[in-house]
Amino acid sequence: MTSVQERLTDGLYGLGWSTVKNLPEPVATRLGRGIADLAWKRRGKGVQRLERNYARVVPGASPERLAELSKAGMRSYLRYWMESFRLPAWSAERVRNGFDPKDLHFLTDGLASGRGVVLALPHLANWDLAGAWVTTKLETPFTTVAERLKPETLYDRFVAYREGLGMEVLPHSGGSAFGTLARRLRDGGLVCLVADRDLSASGVEVDFFGETARMPAGPALLAQQTGALLVPVTLWYDDSPIMQGRLHPPIEVPGSGTRAEKTSVMTQALADAFATGIAEHPEDWHMLQHLWLADLDPAKAPRQPEEGES
């Protein structure tokens, strides 16, 4: 990305946070849907990748079904952005009433035990709203990490935005984040991580919808090292203004095996929980990037049968 493109990107995000948050909600909703439909009709690389990802989630889906899913997916994605731009202007009551998680006891009981909790989420619905709900409704601060974006001013905008919602934000790169997260957990605190896409190229290979993908090892390693509970979370939208969510049972640390073997088992269990939520609400999975190794490295694509082979 050139410096001109970086400044333009930063300016557009700045415009969103300064302008969209002041629009009447029906206007913001229509604006988001209009942008989503325009982007979907243009069929850029992001929409095409989204459809390829949905093809794994909904095997056997026709091209027409994938097109329907990608259109709904783009609308869900822009709902996320419209909500995120407006979240700083939401009242505390609106935040408290904006999310309805099921099986919350997995989190509250874990925190009450003093063990610390790692909540791990995929890119479903609006994870920022879920975080704001935790800091507002539960009055529980937590720590998370953020990818270092370019330009640096854009990264600073995201950090300021999330800190304004009550989160402690650490940079993904730099090497010190893991130690800080571990300290927070040993103190009985809460860590929240979006964990369905590995950004380090050193993640754990998992079976995800029948193909190999790579997911970050951090959530499993933190649970092993600190004794914290590792709790998967999935989110989705319905036809109401209230986002829905579910906390899944904690993933146990295996009783035997090397650290790498335990991490592999736990990360696979995390991927399985993510897959459950994504399969139920594929249109709310905002994965517009390559994820499976077959897409990242064509040499790792599954072998296709030759003509005449079964």
Side-chain angles (χ1 to χ4, degrees):
M1 185 182 292
T2 67
S3 60
V4 173
Q5 289 173 318
E6 289 177 354
R7 289 197 297 272
L8 177 60
T9 300
D10 180 51
L12 288 173
Y13 278 103
L15 182 65
W17 269 302
S18 64
T19 303
V20 173
K21 70 178 181 181
N22 295 316
L23 293 175
E25 187 158 348
V27 175
T29 300
R30 288 195 299 271
L31 175 62
R33 179 161 291 199
I35 294 171
D37 289 351
L38 178 61
W40 178 78
K41 288 177 183 177
R42 294 182 63 182
R43 292 195 57 79
K45 290 182 179 179
V47 173
Q48 294 178 43
R49 285 193 290 263
L50 186 64
E51 285 190 9
R52 285 198 294 271
N53 292 338
Y54 285 158
R56 268 77 170 228
V57 176
V58 188
S62 66
E64 293 77 15
R65 173 58 177 150
L66 291 176
E68 291 175 357
L69 273 175
S70 65
K71 185 174 185 178
M74 291 304 295
R75 287 183 171 184
S76 176
Y77 185 48
L78 264 294
R79 176 174 171 175
Y80 159 75
W81 278 113
M82 291 297 112
E83 286 180 348
S84 295
F85 286 142
R86 294 171 57 77
L87 263 176
W90 281 18
S91 67
E93 180 180 6
R94 175 67 191 280
V95 173
R96 286 193 293 267
N97 294 331
F99 180 40
D100 181 21
K102 281 63 175 179
D103 296 320
L104 185 63
H105 64 92
F106 289 128
L107 170 60
T108 54
D109 290 352
L111 292 174
S113 73
R115 290 179 59 182
V117 177
V118 180
L119 294 181
L121 309 87
H123 286 81
L124 274 169
N126 191 338
W127 46 96
D128 285 327
L129 172 55
W133 186 89
V134 168
T135 61
T136 305
K137 174 75 172 182
L138 301 184
E139 299 182 344
T140 300
F142 66 87
T143 305
T144 188
V145 297
E147 179 184 359
R148 275 205 176 277
L149 303 171
K150 291 185 178 181
E152 191 73 17
T153 50
L154 179 57
Y155 170 76
D156 292 340
R157 285 186 191 275
F158 272 96
V159 170
Y161 157 65
R162 289 181 171 132
E163 287 180 342
L165 299 176
M167 311 175 193
E168 179 187 21
V169 183
L170 307 175
H172 182 271
S173 59
S176 62
F178 188 91
T180 302
L181 296 173
R183 286 194 294 274
R184 300 292 183 268
L185 292 168
R186 289 193 185 98
D187 290 338
L190 175 62
V191 164
C192 299
L193 301 171
V194 179
D196 56 343
R197 180 168 173 256
D198 179 55
L199 296 174
S200 67
S202 61
V204 178
E205 290 191 2
V206 296
D207 181 276
F208 197 52
F209 291 102
E211 289 189 41
T212 303
R214 188 181 291 119
M215 294 187 180
L221 288 172
L222 284 166
Q224 290 178 62
Q225 187 163 316
T226 67
L229 294 174
L230 174 55
V231 179
V233 182
T234 53
L235 311 171
W236 69 93
Y237 290 127
D238 57 17
D239 294 330
S240 76
I242 301 172
M243 185 176 70
Q244 306 298 313
R246 175 172 294 109
L247 286 81
H248 299 253
I251 294 171
E252 299 293 336
V253 178
S256 61
T258 66
R259 185 172 74 164
E261 289 168 344
K262 292 178 180 179
T263 300
S264 178
V265 170
M266 295 174 72
T267 306
Q268 182 63 60
L270 196 61
D272 292 343
F274 290 168
T276 298
I278 292 168
E280 291 174 350
H281 305 280
E283 68 280 2
D284 291 323
W285 189 42
H286 309 149
M287 186 54 66
L288 280 72
Q289 299 83 21
H290 291 311
L291 179 70
W292 281 271
L293 298 193
D295 293 333
L296 296 167
D297 181 0
K300 296 191 176 184
R303 177 179 175 272
Q304 298 300 314
E306 299 290 341
E307 185 176 354
E309 290 183 352
S310 59

